[in-house]
Amino acid sequence: FILENNMLGNIDENQLLVQGLVNFMDNRPQDGGFQLVPKFPQRYKEWVESTSDSIGKHYSERQDFIILPENVPFAKEAERISVPAGCLVIWNQQSPHGSLPNNSNR
């Protein structure tokens, strides 16, 4: 089964909530894979407040998983994280993150 923790916590409590993944195979560039926007947690609160009439309002309503539109300005800052087999990646849940498409034959 899959259990995913997407709770971001209360923005005013300065909590650190993390997620992680383990790769069982080497992740090649053509395999797609994990990506995130580096250093975003440092500006997370400012972003929530500046978008409180649109995207950020979902944070105050639900405090959990938020699907971002593809045209958010920071989407261009996302970096692919190459992960060899057996490695663990841990990130702050306030970092926008996701997966790139798999364009390989595996």
Side-chain angles (χ1 to χ4, degrees):
F1 70 88
I2 296 175
L3 179 62
E4 187 167 350
N5 174 15
N6 288 309
M7 296 304 293
L8 297 172
N10 187 319
I11 196 166
D12 294 321
E13 292 179 4
N14 200 24
Q15 297 174 320
L16 174 62
L17 300 169
V18 297
Q19 280 184 289
L21 66 84
V22 175
N23 259 31
F24 294 104
M25 297 175 61
D26 286 334
N27 182 237
R28 307 169 305 174
Q30 65 268 31
D31 295 331
F34 183 71
Q35 66 175 345
L36 64 71
V37 178
K39 299 183 181 178
F40 193 81
Q42 287 110 333
R43 57 186 168 149
Y44 181 75
K45 187 171 183 175
E46 175 187 333
W47 172 78
V48 169
E49 291 168 355
S50 70
T51 62
S52 62
D53 61 338
S54 58
I55 299 168
K57 72 180 176 183
H58 297 295
Y59 176 86
S60 61
E61 290 171 0
R62 296 175 31 204
Q63 295 186 1
D64 63 2
F65 188 79
I66 300 170
I67 297 175
L68 298 172
E70 292 181 20
N71 63 348
V72 292
F74 55 79
K76 294 181 179 119
E77 300 171 36
E79 293 183 15
R80 183 182 178 281
I81 309 299
S82 181
V83 185
C87 288
L88 170 67
V89 178
I90 298 175
W91 65 93
N92 182 325
Q93 287 187 179
Q94 293 175 342
S95 301
H97 61 278
S99 297
L100 291 168
N102 182 350
N103 295 315
S104 74
N105 59 357
R106 62 176 191 175

